[in-house]
Amino acid sequence: MKKISVIFLFLILFNFNSALSQTVIEISPLFEYPVAPDGMESLEDRCNFIVKNFWDKFDFKRKDAIDQYALNEAFGVYASTMRYASRKVVDQSVDKLLGKLSSNPGLQLQFSKAAEENLYGPRADFWSDDLYLKFLDSLIKNKKIKDSRKSRFINQANSIRGSEVGNTAPSFEFTDKDGGLKNYFPMSTPTVIIFGDPTDTDWKIARLKMESNLKFRDAVDKGKINVLYILPTEVDNWQQNVANYNSHWTIGKSSTVSDNYDTRLNPSIYVVGSDGKISKKFPTLFEAMETVLESVN
């Protein structure tokens, strides 16, 4: 699906009309996408034009539900151009779009799902939490939409905001390997928090590489660095799957941690500094280790 979006972006930027018509038949777009004028030479100018005019031919007064797949595809082209347009133009375009959607709650829900698919979800070409929050905030404020339809989006907004870089790391409860209820709260020791599934093959390989870093392991064993490994979802026999983890790690599971932390990746990694604030969100394991090692050396 995303490959088709990239093709569309190339076509609308460079006005290859014959190829465009062939691709249109293939995915049946909801409306005719704008095409950047030939006189525009820079990528930013072309993308600015597309972003400004992208939804001009879309019927915002329609009351019937539209094909969500087709809307996701259209939004994917829109999001692709936003990556290369100026931020001012993007903000103005999104604000204008949300203004049109505010009077049509059904359509706003569908656009919010399309924004989730293309700005937040696992299949998104790129993530933009701040742009996605615009859609979430607008949806949450809309009194015409039932609270039951908002709950998932409210949780997403809370987890994104709660785990922003620069924020104090949120505290949370977790169950340790022995079944005891424990609490995490940020301390003065630099900490790597890892939310993940211990049965994942890629994680198993990454953990072995992490454990083979002698400097990092030595710092953990001496208490200079904390490591928390927390399961944010249910995994059968999880205690058995983490039985061979470093005994100096804090290990547990929590069914509520995703209320305050963004755990969409597997694993989702955070670095918390000695000041108790999140210094990195979603770094690689190597980046996380390098960051905390630098802080203790």
Side-chain angles (χ1 to χ4, degrees), residues 21 56-57 97 100 108 115 128 164 168 182 229 234 253 261:
S21 62
D56 287 355
K57 294 189 178 182
L97 172 61
K100 291 182 177 180
Q108 184 168 24
S128 179
E164 289 181 334
T168 298
K182 301 293 180 63
Y229 185 85
E234 289 294 330
K253 71 178 181 71
Y261 282 85

Side-chain angles (χ1 to χ4, degrees), residues 39-73:
M40 291 184 176
E41 296 183 358
S42 75
L43 178 63
E44 181 175 320
D45 286 344
R46 286 178 173 271
C47 288
N48 284 344
F49 179 89
I50 300 301
V51 170
K52 285 180 181 178
N53 301 284
F54 193 82
W55 302 104
D56 287 355
K57 294 189 178 182
F58 182 82
D59 181 11
F60 287 94
K61 294 181 180 179
R62 59 188 300 166
K63 300 299 181 181
D64 58 314
I66 58 180
D67 182 89
Q68 188 67 51
Y69 178 86
L71 179 59
N72 290 350
E73 191 63 48

Side-chain angles (χ1 to χ4, degrees), residues 4 6 11 29 80 90 136 156 173 177 190 246 255 264 270:
I4 296 176
V6 172
L11 294 173
S80 295
V90 170
L136 293 179
Q156 288 178 350
E173 289 187 340
K177 292 187 295 183
N246 188 325
S255 59
R264 76 186 98 156
Y270 291 85

Side-chain angles (χ1 to χ4, degrees), residues 103-122:
S103 60
N104 191 332
L107 198 57
Q108 184 168 24
L109 272 169
Q110 289 201 272
F111 266 82
S112 297
K113 292 176 182 177
E116 178 183 20
E117 175 81 9
N118 290 282
L119 298 174
Y120 177 82

